[in-house]
Amino acid sequence: MDRVSSTMKQVSNPLPKVLSRRGGGGGLEAERESFERAQTVSINKAINAQEVAVKEKHARTCILGTHHEKGAQTFWSVVNRLPLSGNAVLCWKFCHVFHKLLRDGHSNVLKDSVRYKNELSDMSRMWGHLNEGYGQLCSIYLKLLRTKMEFHTKNPRFPGNLQMSDRQLDEAGENDVNNFFQLTVEMFDYLECELNLFQTVFSSLDMSRSVSVTAAGQCRLAPLIQVILDCSHLYDYTVKLLFKLHSCLPADTLQGHRDRFLEQFRKLKDLFYRSSNLQYFKRLIQIPQLPENPPNFLRASALSEHISPVVVIPAEASSPDSEPITDLVEMDAASQSLFDNKFDDIFGSSFSCDPFNFNSQNGMSKDDKDRLIEQLYGEITALKEELENFKAESARGTVQLRGRASELEAELAEQQHLKQQAQDESEFLRAELEELKKQREDTEKAQRSLTEIERRAQANEQRYSKLKEKYSELVQNHADLLRKNAEVTKQITGARQAQGDVEREKKELEDSFQRVSEQAQRKSQEQAEVLETLKRELATSRQELQVLQGTLESSTQAGAEQSTRIASLEQERDRLSQAAEQHRDEMAALRAELQQLRDTLSHEQESSRTELEMLQTQLRDKESTEQALQQLLAKEQLSLVQGTIHEAKRMVQDAVARMEDPAHISCTGSADCLLSQTLAASECAERLRDAHSKYLLDGTAMNSLLPCLAPFAHLVSNTLLQGSATSHVAPVEPADRLLELCKQCGCEAVSYLSALQDPETVASADCSLVTACLSQISAIGEELRPRGLDIKQEELGDLVDKEMAATATAIETASARIEEMLSKARAGDTGVELEVNERILGSCTGLMQAIHVLVLASKDLQREIVESGRGAASPKEFYAKNSRWTEGLISASKAVGWGATVMVDAADLVVQGKGTFEELMVCSREIAASTAQLVAASKVKADKDSANLCKLQQASRGVNQATASVVASTKAGKSQVEEKDSMDFSNMTLTQIKRQEMDSQVRVLELENQLQKERQKLGELRKKHYELAGVAEGWEEDAAD
């Protein structure tokens, strides 16, 4: 009975309220005021100065308010009146509520809050100066909220609660590795702010006491629930993005990402562990535990082992401050009172008319009445017990329905967020399209404006002359119409007022009728459902249903009467409108057309005049600005040329001074290198002479002179230093002549540059003296060139071809051996050993392929050099003429073939377990050095713009990358294979530990001594290698001469 009464009470109340609003139009305003009042009360209750945790029901009301108004205007209008800068607890609770709104509120909360980002930053800096209490906590929390707003602004695909699927995460990066790289960095920064707040809150609490059960402790710990939810998602997305990046980029490039992830992993794991032990969190949230070891991003299969951390919030304990539900108790009292009223209405309640006094009606005795009363009391007691059971079941069902409603609200909010994002994107694209259309229309209008203005002016003049004649005829008619206009104006004014009143009344009646109809229909359905469920238990509900149906019929009849009245008013309005239009159109048409033509003509003439003046002004301004810029550019170029010449003089003077430096005496050089430097300097001097001639013809042609100054000074300086170094190993007489020529060349170069720098002498500057000195230095270099090997010059060409062919054969043989070793390893090895061997042999195969490409490119470049330099001579004659260059090619080719063979042997020993990883790394580096020697030897005589030279340089870079890959795979395999011995000192005594320490010191000294000896041995070997290489190159013969 109580349930039926309560239900009927809830159903019957709203309808009179709706009907009472039929007469006025202020329903929406009243509803808005009620909403703002409720939001203000909830926000003030949630954000107050009491050091207790924010109550969940107030925060939930604020969240639902943002979904109701689709934004956070009301929230910020209330918060702006709070003294957040004067009370730290108030600011802390504001941060908590604002964090919940960003996570669970409407998607427009972020847009409405971006404008307050600077205020949050200022408040953060202000609270950062307070080191006690909540000062530092508020400062760090405000920084976190600013970082969260910036992250979601840059990445609008991420919702506020950070819940995304793997497909949505891939779409956020747009399948671009650069976007994924930048997104990972932003997530690291975001997670860093979350961890800073986590650590600051824990450091501000006294963990020696049970702070989580106190109100002050819960006030500080409550916001960490939102932090835990954010951290779990950020950690999961960071792991997935790092695995994706490692599949696209080299491991060395992502070393910084891995280091930063490991640091944050350790912090997050420790904080999750400490939080899970607090009694406050145990009843509110189920905190996940991270794995013991971080993910291994270098192993792609480790992604399948990753388990996303899931934070579980129990539905029955959604808040630490949930208040007991008293609605059922209140409903019980209300239902009981309503039941009593219904009982009195049916049976009567006055003492004068006793409902149980049946003596006057049927002569029933007093005992019968007592038994009847006892029987009724028993039935009432049974009904009350049944009602209590029903209340308990209803309470349980209410709790379950509320949980389900919360889930549906979350899903609805997420769908609304996705819908809003799609709408925003479509609006943005539509705005861009409209803007492009407007720009195109403006461009077309600007092109047609001048011609249309002239044409319209002529047409308007003709029309004006015709209309002037017609206007004189209409003057008489106008006088008559003026008399009629006064009467018509009065009628129109009255008609307009009546029409406005009728329209407003009609609109109000239509709105009221619509709302009444909708409310009545909805309430009728609810009543029908309630009556079908409870008609067996409560017969009295039928009477109230009839009352409601009568009310609905009366409202329907009232709506019909209003419709009839509205129709009559519409007919009257149409009649008045037609009468007013007939009187108004006759007089206003011609007058409006004439005035429009006059205004159009004057406006177009004025706009054309204004536009012409504006264009002329802009043209004059542009010409003056261009002249000023040209003068400024000339000054800047002149100052730049003089500065460059000054630096070039200083460079040559430094080179001349270094020739006299005692430290430079130990430097030596070869005649071939001197010749190459001299040739380059001579060519640069010729280019500088041509640029100087152009500059003299055209004083503004500084662009041709400026690029030649720095290379000229650089090459002349290198030539001087190389000549001085060559004189140190040359015989006495050529050495003295060479040194004297180098000094003379330096002085001439400085004199020439000084003449260029002075505007008065720039025309008389002459570079011929510098060119003559360089020619004499080149002649002495030719005299100092050593003789070739003991091989006949006619055999050098054949020897080059043989060595290059032998090198290619050695590389192909090495590649075949590596493939054979890889097949054996796959057949005989398993597990980690197979993985290491495959990685090492695969990188070796890549290195051999890169060397093969380099050798082929070297052959092509060598063939190009021979064809372009031999002229009418044969290739053998060209090799004989350039014997030193030919010998360098032979030596480099032999080194490459020998290095490939040695590396294959080392790889074979490593796969068999007999060799060392260090030997393989040294061999790979030696091959890289040999290929670099081959590239240098091939590059000496090549044209700098040659396509084959570019291919050779590209192949050289490929060899370097392959060498780095071999070294990296070898190091990785070494670290994967070697087992680290665990050191257990728990069972050792002090004496034993001291003994072990002394033994370790002795071992360290022995290893250091061996290292020193090996370094000395390496130095002697390199010295001997240089001596043998000098003999092969003819250095000793040069010294003897």
Side-chain angles (χ1 to χ4, degrees), residues 85 242 453 558 603 606 635 678 710 716 833 855 878 952 990 1026:
S85 300
L242 284 177
I453 287 172
H603 177 70
E606 184 66 25
K635 292 180 181 179
T678 306
V716 169
E833 185 177 359
V855 171
F878 177 80
L952 181 63
L990 179 62
Y1026 294 154

Side-chain angles (χ1 to χ4, degrees), residues 479-586:
D480 298 335
L481 291 174
L482 285 176
R483 291 190 296 270
K484 296 180 181 180
N485 186 33
E487 298 176 358
V488 173
T489 303
K490 295 180 181 179
Q491 296 178 2
I492 289 173
T493 304
R496 286 180 179 176
Q497 293 178 355
Q499 180 182 358
D501 296 338
V502 169
E503 290 179 353
R504 286 194 299 271
E505 187 174 0
K506 177 185 175 183
K507 186 176 181 181
E508 293 175 359
L509 291 175
E510 289 177 352
D511 295 340
S512 300
F513 178 71
Q514 184 67 23
R515 290 195 298 270
V516 168
S517 300
E518 293 177 357
Q519 293 289 340
Q521 184 178 2
R522 185 167 60 254
K523 297 303 179 182
S524 176
Q525 293 177 357
E526 293 178 358
Q527 292 169 2
E529 293 176 358
V530 173
L531 288 175
E532 289 176 1
T533 306
L534 302 175
K535 64 182 179 179
R536 295 179 182 178
E537 299 177 1
L538 301 173
T540 58
S541 60
R542 297 179 179 176
Q543 297 178 358
E544 293 189 7
L545 178 60
Q546 294 175 359
V547 172
L548 292 174
Q549 290 177 349
T551 305
L552 180 61
E553 292 176 357
S554 63
S555 64
T556 305
Q557 293 175 359
E561 294 176 357
Q562 292 174 359
S563 301
T564 305
R565 184 179 178 186
I566 288 170
S568 63
L569 291 174
E570 287 180 350
Q571 294 176 359
E572 184 177 357
R573 183 194 63 188
D574 295 339
R575 183 177 59 79
L576 293 175
S577 299
Q578 292 176 359
E581 289 295 331
Q582 290 176 0
H583 291 288
R584 188 167 53 245
D585 292 343
E586 294 177 357

Side-chain angles (χ1 to χ4, degrees), residues 766-825:
D766 189 8
C767 190
S768 59
L769 297 177
V770 180
T771 306
C773 292
L774 291 174
S775 300
Q776 295 177 8
I777 293 173
S778 177
I780 297 177
E782 289 290 344
E783 295 178 3
L784 295 177
R785 289 184 63 188
R787 292 186 296 274
L789 298 174
D790 294 336
I791 303 174
K792 294 181 181 180
Q793 293 185 349
E794 58 271 12
E795 298 178 358
L796 284 176
D798 298 335
L799 185 59
V800 170
D801 297 336
K802 291 179 181 179
E803 289 298 333
M804 295 298 289
T807 302
T809 304
I811 292 171
E812 293 176 356
T813 304
S815 301
R817 286 187 60 190
I818 291 173
E819 292 293 336
E820 183 179 356
M821 287 187 287
L822 184 59
S823 301
K824 291 181 180 180

